[in-house]
Each structure stands twice: as structure tokens, then as C-alpha cells.
Amino acid sequence: MLIALIARDKKGALDIRKANRDAHLAYIDATGVVAQAGPLIENGDMAGSLVILDVADMAAAEDWAANDPYAKAGLFDKVELIEWKKVIG
């Protein structure tokens, strides 16, 4: 099952993002469930995340999201998990 994780950073939290980026990328690598990922950009700055998870179910996506170092560091203002269907690419 593919799940889109769409997260918006808290205002003024760029330093939190930068400080936890290495741990976030290591988590992505270690978990092996990320099909695609990258930052959302606003006015040239990172302002959120889009992560496509390939997991068994929504509970697994919720668990992944809760254990992401970005989430643990309090980076996000809002996180949405939405089932996603790949059509192109």
C-alpha cells in the first residue's frame, strides 16, 4: 500500500530541520519503506516534507511517521497520511 505523508514545518523551524536532517535520512535508509521523498519548498526554503511510503497498512505508516526523527524533534505543524495510487512514473 502506498501512503503519501505530507508534512508542513512549524514556522521558523528551519534550524530544527537542518539539525535533524542526517538522522531523518538515516531513518529513511534504515527502514526501507520509502519509495520517494523530498522537501517542500516555499520562497526558496525547505518548508515541509513529501514522503511516499510503501507499507502494509495505514497503521504501519502512522508508526513510521511517529518515529521519524523530524517528528520526534517537533519539526512539523501538521502531518497528513493519505493513501496514494501511482499512475505515472
Side-chain angles (χ1 to χ4, degrees):
M1 166 183 263
L2 296 174
I3 305 289
L5 180 155
I6 304 166
R8 305 294 267 168
D9 293 359
K10 291 178 180 173
K11 297 291 182 199
L14 186 57
D15 288 341
I16 294 171
R17 175 175 280 278
K18 289 179 180 179
N20 290 279
R21 187 171 189 270
D22 289 343
H24 169 73
L25 294 175
Y27 180 65
I28 286 174
D29 188 50
T31 57
V33 298
V34 176
Q36 297 180 37
L40 301 175
I41 307 296
E42 290 181 350
N43 301 315
D45 290 323
M46 293 179 285
S49 297
L50 171 61
V51 180
I52 304 298
L53 300 168
D54 189 352
V55 292
D57 53 31
M58 186 60 77
E62 291 168 349
D63 182 65
W64 191 96
N67 288 294
D68 178 358
Y70 278 166
K72 288 184 171 186
L75 174 64
F76 301 130
D77 180 46
K78 180 179 179 182
V79 176
E80 292 182 88
L81 293 167
I82 305 166
E83 186 174 349
W84 182 71
K85 180 180 178 181
K86 181 178 178 180
V87 175
I88 298 171

